[in-house]
Amino acid sequence: MITIIYRLILALIVGLVGWNLFTEKKLTMQLNAAMVLIPLVLRVLMVK
């Protein structure tokens, strides 16, 4: 049960960071969001 809640919270955060990635105009901020997004996606997929 806790794993499902954890994955849902992470999926929400991934969605928000992904939205920020595509709406940001500065390239440096887009790269920053992409670097944050990679480990979050791996955690949602439960890849260690």
Side-chain angles (χ1 to χ4, degrees):
M1 180 67 179
I2 292 177
T3 305
I4 295 170
I5 294 170
Y6 174 70
R7 290 177 83 176
L8 288 173
I9 292 170
L10 278 175
L12 174 68
I13 294 171
V14 165
L16 291 173
V17 173
W19 180 39
N20 188 24
L21 174 68
F22 291 113
T23 58
E24 187 63 46
K25 295 192 189 301
K26 292 184 180 178
L27 181 62
T28 56
M29 294 303 287
Q30 287 177 346
L31 292 174
N32 190 12
M35 289 191 319
V36 169
L37 196 61
I38 291 168
L40 290 175
V41 169
L42 291 175
R43 286 198 183 261
V44 168
L45 298 175
M46 294 293 184
V47 176
K48 290 188 178 192

